[in-house]
Amino acid sequence: MTLTKADIVANVYAKGMLTKAEASQSVEASLALIKNALASGEEVLVSGFGKWSVRHKAERRGRNPQSGQPLILPPRKVVTFRPSRVLKAKVQVKDQDQAAPAAQPQEKESSAGEPASKPSVIRKGYF
Amino acid sequence: MNKSQLIEALAKDQGLTIKKAEMVINTIFGSVEESLIKGDRVEIRGFGSFKVKDYDGYQGRNPKTGEIIEVGRKKLPFFKVGKELKERVDN
């Protein structure tokens, strides 16, 4: 099930500290505060969750994919999100319980089968 | 802006106590986190959406030593910027 703003408002209301109207308004206001900060070029850091920052993209040459006309794309600003290490780890947990123990023994077997020689051969070709 | 500044700004903006504002902010991010852990999507109109992306394993290299290493399958949280926010930031 997709979590929406209405679900978040319901969760806030369920804490029993605010009225329904206050819960809804304060969720709206929180999002607006974050958006305003980003719109003004400021980054937003929520420790344990992640960081939003504004990146400046340089002007670049592009092409109209329909006509093939070359054109210049103007510089622009984009929002990027970097999840915190904590959040990354939490999202991982479920999968690692099932997949990692099954996958790792296999990897160890194959790398033990062809020891050090293989990587060094590939490295020569690579450089 | 960090989390405590966000809490203060919210308290001021909505006339809430710091304690209540803190609860709101923690519940917002707590809810998002909980959904992502379950593997569910989060969609907040005008702001953006979160989902967990599945990445296949691949053979990588330690950039310092050139050593080949196996990178296993992994899941990572991913945020897609919503239309309104995207346009406001770039105006």
Side-chain angles (χ1 to χ4, degrees):
Chain A
M1 258 293 284
T2 303
L3 185 85
T4 62
K5 200 155 65 185
D7 300 318
I8 296 175
V9 170
N11 289 347
V12 170
Y13 176 62
K15 301 279 173 176
M17 289 166 76
L18 300 175
T19 66
K20 262 187 190 156
E22 284 172 334
S24 157
Q25 279 160 19
S26 51
V27 169
E28 248 358 297
S30 305
L31 296 169
L33 288 165
I34 297 173
K35 286 192 275 188
N36 292 345
L38 291 169
S40 72
E42 206 185 330
E43 60 181 34
V44 177
L45 169 74
V46 179
S47 51
F49 187 80
K51 183 168 91 174
W52 288 268
S53 41
V54 179
R55 298 193 61 165
H56 296 254
K57 298 276 192 178
E59 173 185 284
R60 66 187 174 92
R61 262 173 239 273
R63 229 171 243 286
N64 178 336
Q66 225 148 50
S67 65
Q69 286 280 299
L71 51 96
I72 291 171
L73 298 172
R76 61 198 180 104
K77 289 183 245 169
V78 296
V79 174
T80 58
F81 175 73
R82 289 198 57 183
S84 83
R85 223 174 287 176
V86 183
L87 183 62
K88 278 193 202 170
K90 281 183 179 167
V91 165
Q92 214 64 237
V93 170
K94 255 192 194 164
D95 206 46
Q96 257 164 12
D97 288 341
Q98 308 153 344
Q104 265 172 356
Q106 279 180 356
E107 279 164 23
K108 270 176 194 150
E109 277 165 37
S110 65
S111 59
E114 308 136 301
S117 70
K118 202 180 178 187
S120 66
V121 167
I122 294 173
R123 203 186 299 174
K124 267 181 207 160
Y126 187 74
F127 286 114
Chain B
M1 183 159 72
N2 62 28
K3 193 161 127 183
S4 55
Q5 289 165 331
L6 181 59
I7 290 167
E8 270 173 47
L10 177 65
K12 205 172 166 192
D13 188 67
Q14 293 292 299
L16 296 174
T17 61
I18 292 287
K19 207 178 145 200
K20 285 178 177 175
E22 191 174 15
M23 177 279 289
V24 172
I25 298 298
N26 284 337
T27 307
I28 293 174
F29 293 112
S31 304
V32 174
E33 185 179 299
E34 211 175 287
S35 281
L36 292 177
I37 290 172
K38 278 193 281 178
D40 287 349
R41 261 171 51 87
V42 179
E43 191 177 312
I44 304 170
R45 289 283 156 88
F47 182 70
S49 60
F50 296 89
K51 68 176 171 186
V52 176
K53 277 195 177 179
D54 245 306
Y55 292 90
D56 279 339
Y58 58 92
Q59 241 186 20
R61 266 171 203 279
N62 178 333
K64 248 186 207 149
T65 63
E67 192 186 349
I68 293 177
I69 40 170
E70 205 64 48
V71 180
R73 286 185 55 192
K74 63 185 165 190
K75 291 181 173 189
L76 288 177
F78 176 80
F79 175 74
K80 188 180 173 199
V81 186
K83 203 176 164 196
E84 187 209 318
L85 179 58
K86 199 178 185 173
E87 287 169 0
R88 277 190 60 193
V89 168
D90 194 33
N91 66 354

